Amino acid sequence: MVKAVIAIHGGAGAITRSAMSAEKEQAYLQALREIVTQGEQILAQGGSALDAVTEAVRLLEECPLFNAGKGAVFTHQGTHELDACVMDGRTLEAGAVAGVTRVRNPVLAARAVLEQSPHVLLIGEGAEQFAQAQGLEPVATDYFSTPERWEQLQRALHSDTAVLDHDGAAHHDDPLDPDRKFGTVGAVALDLNGNLAAATSTGGMTNKQAGRVGDSPLPGAGCYASNDSVAVSCTGTGEVFIRTLAAYDVAAQMRYAGRSLQQASVNVIHDQVLELGGSGGLIAVDRAGNVALPFNSEGMYRGVARVGEAAEVAIYRES
């Protein structure tokens, strides 16, 4: 009997416990627990891994604590551009969107591309027209904006840097350092039928150049799933995760080198990504239901729930 499981992440980064608000930490933990539990309930009711990861990421997009959907970060030009990818390990089908500005839930648009389009990746206006044709809800471009994200952009503009993070609070009461945090959300799951799936979504990096696309919507870079090995969702320095094909490399090491899930995922995050100066982490589940949550930063918002068991959530590196 397959032991169904789902894991989620909401970004990774450096810890600033001294500047942290206990209330904000609990808000993050509660959101993670509620969302991963809802994903687990889908699996418990016999739902597919694809449905579970799609819904978990949709809920993360709806939560302004995370940099995906509502609460997405701003580009240098003061706009929002969102990316997402969904991949079905059973069929190796994938759907993705990049640079969308008016799609409320980019992960639903990615799922629609997977199911209703002959293409894998749609961008910009074409992706938005496709999403609307599929009946997905369009929103005004300011729907994603929050005062905290705007203040974060102003700090980044003042320092003239692109910030690989998402800032959950304007006054530095976030559990992770707001200027060293990688703002992506994702989910991976194994369902009762033994199928794997992965989904990843992001608002990108604060102060990024308009038109920049990171690893999140790219199958094999920030998102990958194959029933013969593993489902993976990444969060981190997008350019490095693209160059290392981080998500696929976990599967490749397992498939061709015979490495375990833990060995492969740790190698990718602590060796391959670090060698190119990258930071971040990933979540992964293999076809046997093993889960890996490695990160080379000091913390990563994360949660795991196995069917029939209580969810486990965490932010910091376990001592």
Side-chain angles (χ1 to χ4, degrees), residues 80-101:
H80 300 285
E81 295 183 351
L82 296 85
D83 311 324
C85 180
V86 177
M87 188 160 180
D88 185 350
R90 182 178 64 87
T91 61
L92 295 185
E93 291 178 323
V97 295
V100 296
T101 62

Side-chain angles (χ1 to χ4, degrees), residues 114-173:
L114 184 154
E115 294 181 331
Q116 305 296 333
S117 170
H119 308 304
V120 169
L121 173 62
L122 297 178
I123 66 168
E125 185 66 29
E128 289 169 357
Q129 291 175 359
F130 174 81
Q132 199 157 345
Q134 301 305 313
L136 296 181
E137 177 184 1
V139 292
T141 54
D142 63 357
Y143 163 80
F144 307 104
S145 305
T146 64
E148 292 82 5
R149 295 285 188 254
W150 181 252
E151 291 185 28
Q152 184 192 14
L153 174 64
Q154 302 315 304
R155 290 199 301 274
L157 289 171
H158 183 72
S159 62
D160 195 31
T161 59
V163 183
L164 290 167
D165 67 22
H166 78 92
D167 180 2
H171 305 292
H172 299 272
D173 65 344

Side-chain angles (χ1 to χ4, degrees), residues 81-301:
E81 295 183 351
L82 296 85
D83 311 324
C85 180
V86 177
M87 188 160 180
D88 185 350
R90 182 178 64 87
T91 61
L92 295 185
E93 291 178 323
V97 295
V100 296
T101 62
R102 300 192 302 274
V103 178
R104 175 171 178 149
N105 293 112
V107 71
L108 296 184
R111 176 71 179 267
V113 173
L114 184 154
E115 294 181 331
Q116 305 296 333
S117 170
H119 308 304
V120 169
L121 173 62
L122 297 178
I123 66 168
E125 185 66 29
E128 289 169 357
Q129 291 175 359
F130 174 81
Q132 199 157 345
Q134 301 305 313
L136 296 181
E137 177 184 1
V139 292
T141 54
D142 63 357
Y143 163 80
F144 307 104
S145 305
T146 64
E148 292 82 5
R149 295 285 188 254
W150 181 252
E151 291 185 28
Q152 184 192 14
L153 174 64
Q154 302 315 304
R155 290 199 301 274
L157 289 171
H158 183 72
S159 62
D160 195 31
T161 59
V163 183
L164 290 167
D165 67 22
H166 78 92
D167 180 2
H171 305 292
H172 299 272
D173 65 344
D174 196 301
L176 300 188
D177 184 334
D179 292 329
R180 287 185 291 166
K181 182 157 26 130
F182 309 104
T184 306
V185 305
V188 293
L190 172 71
D191 65 30
L192 292 171
N193 292 316
N195 294 314
L196 292 165
T200 308
S201 181
T202 189
M205 67 169 80
T206 292
N207 200 28
K208 67 181 180 181
Q209 174 64 39
R212 178 262 185 185
V213 176
D215 65 305
S216 296
L218 302 180
C223 188
Y224 186 76
S226 175
N227 273 12
D228 72 1
S229 52
V230 67
V232 183
S233 176
C234 300
T235 172
T237 315
E239 281 69 14
V240 173
F241 280 70
I242 292 171
R243 290 158 60 198
T244 56
L245 284 174
Y248 178 72
D249 197 27
V250 176
Q253 290 190 33
M254 295 173 66
R255 186 181 295 139
Y256 304 127
R259 290 185 169 175
S260 69
L261 172 66
Q262 192 68 24
Q263 289 170 330
S265 58
V266 167
N267 174 265
V268 167
I269 293 301
H270 292 283
D271 294 324
Q272 307 301 327
V273 169
L274 267 183
E275 283 178 9
L276 294 181
S279 183
L282 62 80
I283 58 173
V285 58
D286 68 16
R287 59 183 181 177
N290 299 305
V291 174
L293 309 160
F295 50 95
N296 60 35
S297 51
E298 292 184 57
M300 181 171 71
Y301 297 113

Side-chain angles (χ1 to χ4, degrees), residues 66-84:
F66 303 103
N67 172 25
K70 182 70 172 179
V73 298
F74 285 89
T75 67
H76 179 78
Q77 288 77 6
T79 58
H80 300 285
E81 295 183 351
L82 296 85
D83 311 324

